[in-house]
Amino acid sequence: MKLDVIKLDGGEAGTVDLGDEVFGVEPRADILHRVVRWQRARAQAGTHKVKTRSETSYSTKKIYRQKGTGGARHGDRNAPIFRKGGTYKGPTPRSHAHDLPKKIRKLGLKMALSDKARDGKLVIIESAALEEVKTKALAKHVADRGWRKVLVIDGAEVDGNFARAAANIAGLDVLPSVGANVYDILNRDTLVLTKAGVEALEARLK
């Protein structure tokens, strides 16, 4: 697959050949769904917690005698049946992460890249390097290209000036190639790769 390469200001910068083994894979919704679920589960904090009857602050004294009241038998006010009593089998801190084979994770990333390429939402730029931190200038370049919700993936490292300039632009996110992931790619309208990013992703996924 051959795509045009542009400069950040919109000028032409040649073409690039994209390997079909990375950018030409037929997307499958079930694979993408599995990878996204795996990602989001790993990101979930899992810090939810409720108090059990042994942790609530009522007295543990038996509230009334066992027999002869005509009512149900109770011990103390910490029982789950009472207001402000402990919760029975409530959530406790835990990890929500689950395993997913590396082959599936790798395949999911290929499919996410291929999906953007197939839909014409993949843009290749020569580089994402700025001589100085100019948020206003970068915002103008983004607006001129018509990018609204865009993810830029660079090579091994993101240019510091570009990252700082992009930090205050709504809808523009930047990642190094090692941070490329299915969720962030699918969650953006446009995917922008630098030439260094293309090379790094192809080396990572082949």
Side-chain angles (χ1 to χ4, degrees), residues 15-192:
T15 60
V16 65
D17 286 318
L18 302 179
D20 288 339
E21 63 272 24
V22 176
F23 293 92
V25 180
E26 185 66 27
R28 280 177 48 185
D30 60 320
I31 297 293
L32 294 172
H33 179 254
R34 287 179 65 186
V35 179
V36 169
R37 280 193 65 245
W38 171 79
Q39 273 189 248
R40 302 315 295 157
R42 283 170 57 88
Q44 192 167 344
T47 52
H48 36 31
K49 174 73 172 71
V50 295
K51 289 184 177 181
T52 64
R53 66 182 299 169
S54 66
E55 297 170 320
T56 48
S57 59
Y58 279 120
S59 169
T60 57
K61 179 183 178 182
K62 188 172 176 67
I63 56 179
Y64 50 71
R65 66 182 188 273
Q66 180 82 347
K67 293 178 179 294
T69 64
R73 296 167 291 182
H74 287 296
D76 57 62
R77 286 281 181 182
N78 295 299
I81 197 171
F82 292 118
R83 183 172 179 269
K84 294 187 179 180
T87 301
Y88 176 64
K89 288 188 177 179
T92 57
R94 68 182 179 90
S95 170
H96 291 266
H98 58 268
D99 292 331
L100 188 67
K102 287 183 180 179
K103 286 184 178 180
I104 300 297
R105 282 142 51 185
K106 192 173 181 179
L107 181 59
L109 185 52
K110 289 180 181 180
M111 288 181 174
L113 294 169
S114 300
D115 181 63
K116 291 298 183 187
R118 185 185 64 173
D119 292 346
K121 296 178 180 178
L122 175 62
V123 178
I124 310 297
I125 61 175
E126 189 174 33
S127 71
L130 298 177
E131 294 181 0
E132 54 183 335
V133 181
K134 289 288 187 180
T135 299
K136 185 176 181 180
L138 180 58
K140 184 178 185 304
H141 292 323
V142 171
D144 290 345
R145 306 286 80 73
W147 299 339
R148 295 191 178 278
K149 196 177 179 184
V150 58
L151 173 65
V152 179
I153 298 179
D154 207 345
E157 293 183 0
V158 177
D159 178 70
N161 289 343
F162 187 91
R164 284 191 290 274
N168 290 327
I169 301 177
L172 176 60
D173 294 292
V174 187
L175 288 174
S177 59
V178 70
N181 64 88
V182 174
Y183 177 77
D184 283 332
I185 291 173
L186 295 181
N187 199 35
R188 305 303 191 280
D189 294 333
T190 306
L191 174 63
V192 178

